[in-house]
Amino acid sequence: MGSDPEVSLAAGRVFAARWTQIAAGLAVVHLLLWLLLASGLREPGVTLMLVPAVAQAAAGVVAVVAGVRLWRGDRAGLMRGPALAAVLVGLVVTIAAPVIWIGGGVSVSLRGLDKIDIPSFASP
């Protein structure tokens, strides 16, 4: 029975590491989707790209919660790999989700503006 907290901490480390990897993977997928599909996306596509953004943010929140729970179980564990990685990666991924989505949407909406001919006062 003395090893029960150790088993719980090991399971917490695995849970935190798994959600850290999932959150980071979703961030990479979200960014790659924007880079690959931005040239062909229209307004409905921008709305559809909200799905990976929400999934990325949710996975980031779960990673942060898993890291904090692991840290609460082992106070010195914050400076160890899984807890610190889960908290940092989860925060970065959660903050990056709306930034990537908004940046991609702005990029799509501004497409073609460089082809607009703006008259000049100097031209006859």
Side-chain angles (χ1 to χ4, degrees):
M1 293 214 175
S3 66
D4 196 42
E6 292 174 13
V7 171
S8 176
L9 282 175
R13 285 187 194 102
V14 170
F15 185 75
R18 182 176 298 136
W19 277 100
T20 303
Q21 292 170 349
I22 289 170
L26 284 172
V28 170
V29 166
H30 186 201
L31 186 59
L32 284 176
L33 280 173
W34 272 115
L35 293 174
L36 292 173
L37 302 175
S39 62
L41 281 179
R42 302 287 179 251
E43 294 301 321
V46 172
T47 305
L48 185 63
M49 287 298 290
L50 188 59
V51 173
V54 170
Q56 175 185 341
V61 168
V62 172
V64 169
V65 169
V68 169
R69 286 181 59 200
L70 182 60
W71 174 68
R72 282 185 179 171
D74 182 16
R75 290 287 183 181
L78 182 61
M79 292 306 144
R80 293 189 197 131
L84 185 60
V87 170
L88 291 180
V89 170
L91 285 174
V92 168
V93 165
T94 303
I95 293 168
V99 172
I100 293 171
W101 184 74
I102 291 170
V106 167
S107 172
V108 168
S109 68
L110 295 179
R111 185 179 341 140
L113 286 181
D114 57 343
K115 297 175 186 170
I116 296 175
D117 186 28
I118 300 174
S120 169
F121 290 117
S123 64

